Amino acid sequence: MHLDGLTLMVAGSFVAAIGFALLVGTWHAQLRTEKAVLWWAIAYLADAAGVATLAAGFALSEPALMAAGSALMPLAAATIWAGTRAFHGRTIGWPILASVPVVWLTLGLLPFPGGPRASATAATMALSSLFLA
């Protein structure tokens, strides 16, 4: 059996969108005072949007969509980090969150072996790993 990467990306995006809906529903029904749940819901939304945009970019061979999808992935990791800080009662580093797209763009524009697509992938992985670590 052959697993199609594009199909797996669409399915992954759908699962993340369901995670977003479940967390927002849980927050609305039971946990209105817990801001961390909303941060984690936003992370699911950013992940769903990023993977869906990447899938569209790959399907249409459109570099702009691939770049936009890659840019959303570190944002998902950053909002997981923000939710964890909120869960532990710590302040959210708004300047850090606001700098994610700027840092991604800067890293993505650096010359990298393999061209711009490899550079964007490396920037996405580096930023996501930083926040998730």
Side-chain angles (χ1 to χ4, degrees), residues 102-123:
V102 175
V103 172
W104 181 87
L105 186 60
T106 303
L107 289 174
L109 292 175
L110 292 175
F112 197 80
R117 189 167 163 188
S119 182
T121 301

Side-chain angles (χ1 to χ4, degrees), residues 68-87:
S70 292
L72 284 170
M73 302 311 286
L75 186 60
T79 52
I80 290 171
W81 171 79
T84 303
R85 288 187 63 85
F87 182 75

Side-chain angles (χ1 to χ4, degrees), residues 46-76:
D47 187 49
V51 173
T53 305
L54 271 173
F58 288 135
L60 302 172
S61 296
E62 181 61 46
L65 287 175
M66 289 183 222
S70 292
L72 284 170
M73 302 311 286
L75 186 60

